[in-house]
């Protein structure tokens, strides 16, 4: 089979690999129908994720068809269409019992990280019963790819951790796919204002069509001054960090109002200055963590009923064997006006 293989920092290739086989009775082999590229994959390719070693097939999102199941898989059979969760959960360990699947002792984020991932013709999914979701016959599978990672991540790490409530003012720093996923799913809680902050006018324009009430281009405008003006000097109830660099986290520290929340989603590679000299007295909370994908079934229902339309996040479509071109487009997102790219078998 063909797969996208990481060969050390800056090196990847679409090459022939051995088709995966069932290793444990709880495994399933899934034939990939659609997959996508995540910002995390770009981090991996830069060499930022040392757990990923030379020869690894990357990718942790996708939908497919069950090709084979292990003896103890009972929820799925050959031919079933499934959504692959970016988080693998055994369903049995202490963390899984607490629904902290991201820290599953035998799983967590392993796909395209410590085991081979989804940017391939076939993938082995461990603990298939608790790590895959059945797709009904008439569902839009392109939209569902957004449920593997970005929608639950934006929702759980941004909206839920940020405790967004009706009437709140929310600032989202970063209008990439994850920030947009937070923007789409924040609507469940009817915040009064959502201020989207980014340096890319194209993305800010898109954010407006996804019901951002205000947009700020932080390259040309003073984001802090503008947010303070919009909030009568109070700051926001929730500041969602969806970039993962010091300057954007520190911006959230400046934007959060008294009693507010900073919800970090970004993958940080550098330390960030925590300004406790100003924040200590402001009754704020700061949250950070991996997605547990506990909200996936709820989000799934809302996509099926068209209450939530994550297809809006897809800007580019490629065939799976055009994946190198798809990476080039995604790596040059501003130039290509790209948000999410979809790769189809
Ligand atoms: Zn991802
Ligand atoms: Zn577990």
């Amino acid at each position: 089979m063909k797969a996208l293989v990481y060969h050390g920092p800056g090196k990847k290739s679409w090459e022939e690999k051995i088709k995966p086989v069932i290793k444990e009775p709880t495994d399933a082999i899934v034939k990939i129908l659609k997959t996508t590229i995540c910002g995390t994959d770009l981090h991996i390719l830069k060499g930022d994720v040392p757990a990923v070693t030379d020869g690894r097939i990357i990718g942790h999102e996708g939908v497919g068809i069950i090709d084979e199941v292990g003896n103890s898989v009972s929820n799925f059979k050959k031919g079933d269409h499934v959504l692959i969760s970016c988080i693998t959960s055994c369903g049995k360990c202490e963390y899984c019992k607490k629904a902290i699947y991201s820290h599953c002792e035998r799983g967590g984020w392993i796909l395209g990280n410590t085991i081979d991932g989804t940017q391939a013709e076939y993938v082995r999914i461990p603990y298939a019963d608790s790590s895959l979701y059945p797709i009904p016959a008439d569902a839009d599978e392109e939209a569902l790819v957004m449920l593997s990672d970005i929608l639950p991540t934006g929702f759980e790490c941004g909206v839920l951790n940020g405790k967004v409530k009706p009437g709140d003012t929310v600032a989202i720093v970063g209008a990439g796919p994850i920030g947009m996923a937070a923007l789409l799913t924040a609507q469940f809680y009817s915040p009064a204002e959502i201020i989207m902050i980014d340096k890319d006018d194209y993305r800010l324009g898109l954010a407006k069509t996804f019901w951002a009430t205000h947009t700020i281009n932080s390259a040309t405008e003073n984001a802090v001054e503008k947010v303070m003006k919009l909030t009568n000097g109070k700051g926001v109830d929730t500041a969602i960090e969806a970039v993962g660099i010091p300057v954007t986290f520190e911006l959230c520290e400046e934007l959060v109002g008294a009693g507010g929340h900073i919800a970090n989603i970004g993958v940080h590679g550098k330390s960030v200055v925590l300004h406790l000299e100003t924040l200590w007295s402001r009754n704020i909370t700061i949250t950070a963590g991996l997605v547990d994908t506990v909200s996936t079934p709820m989000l799934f229902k809302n996509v099926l009923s068209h209450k939530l339309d994550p297809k809006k996040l897809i800007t580019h479509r490629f065939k799976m064997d055009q994946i190198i071109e798809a990476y080039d487009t995604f790596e040059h997102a501003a130039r290509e006006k790209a948000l999410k790219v979809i790769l189809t078998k």
Side-chain angles (χ1 to χ4, degrees), residues 3-29:
L4 197 279
V5 182
Y6 171 74
H7 285 299
K11 287 182 232 144
K12 61 177 182 295
S13 75
W14 177 246
E15 64 186 50
E16 199 62 34
K17 289 284 269 187
I18 294 166
K19 188 185 161 189
V21 293
I22 300 282
K23 283 187 183 167
E24 302 288 338
T26 44
D27 287 350
I29 304 299

Side-chain angles (χ1 to χ4, degrees), residues 303-337:
V303 172
L304 291 182
S305 71
H306 306 288
K307 177 114 184 159
L308 185 62
D309 184 11
K311 215 170 159 165
K312 291 176 179 173
L313 303 173
I314 302 167
T315 53
H316 291 71
R317 290 167 176 84
F318 297 90
K319 297 301 273 181
M320 197 117 77
D321 58 10
Q322 295 175 297
I323 192 162
I324 299 292
E325 197 184 320
Y327 261 97
D328 185 63
T329 298
F330 192 62
E331 278 164 0
H332 300 96
R335 182 189 79 195
E336 302 289 338
K337 301 190 186 322

Side-chain angles (χ1 to χ4, degrees), residues 214-255:
H214 302 85
T215 57
I216 299 173
N217 186 324
S218 54
T220 55
E221 299 170 278
N222 184 318
V224 177
E225 266 175 26
K226 203 163 171 195
V227 168
M228 288 306 156
K229 207 169 159 195
L230 288 168
T231 57
N232 296 318
K234 291 191 171 77
V236 300
D237 299 297
T238 300
I240 296 175
E241 202 287 341
V243 182
I245 56 173
V247 65
T248 48
F249 190 88
E250 287 170 39
L251 175 59
C252 290
E253 294 182 45
E254 290 190 83
L255 299 181

Side-chain angles (χ1 to χ4, degrees), residues 37-41 60-61 86 109 149-150 153 178 340:
I37 303 169
C38 180
T40 305
D41 299 324
H60 50 264
E61 297 161 270
C86 66
W109 174 44
D149 177 359
I150 63 165
T153 299
I178 292 282
K340 256 330 219 182

